[in-house]
Amino acid sequence: MAAKLRKGDKVIVLAGKDKGKQGEIASVNPSKGKAVIEGVNVYLRHTKASQGDQGGKTPVSMPVDLSNLAILDANGKATRVGFRMEEDKKVRFAKSTGDVI
């Protein structure tokens, strides 16, 4: 099945501790149904010092479930994604406005 959310899409978080936050998808893991969004679901990762770097606490974005995300349309509102054929090509479109994503 085609992916409704892809890398680079602007999304909004619908549920969880970061509800209402917006960001861009950095990576998607379709087999686990999760995506990493820049600046959302951030945790501190404690890293041990090595010869190259100092170590300490570094902020890391953790994956969010795809069901808790909605894509933003041109108006900046959350919308659902649909598929349709345009000139022998399958394209994604915003259900609220009908615009091609």
Side-chain angles (χ1 to χ4, degrees), residues 4 6 11 14 19 30-31 41 65 76 81-82 86 91:
K4 293 188 178 191
R6 297 181 187 159
V11 293
L14 300 176
K19 181 179 179 177
S31 62
N41 201 21
D65 205 84
V81 178
E86 285 188 3
V91 295

Side-chain angles (χ1 to χ4, degrees), residues 43-48 54-60:
Y43 285 92
L44 290 178
R45 170 105 168 95
H46 296 73
T47 55
K48 195 172 186 179
Q54 189 177 4
K57 300 176 190 175
T58 56
V60 176

Side-chain angles (χ1 to χ4, degrees), residues 10-14 22 68-81 94-97:
K10 301 274 187 207
V11 293
I12 187 167
V13 180
L14 300 176
Q22 298 178 5
N68 295 334
L69 301 175
I71 197 163
L72 294 173
D73 60 6
N75 303 332
K77 300 232 178 199
T79 183
R80 292 179 295 155
V81 178
K95 291 243 183 168
S96 60
T97 60

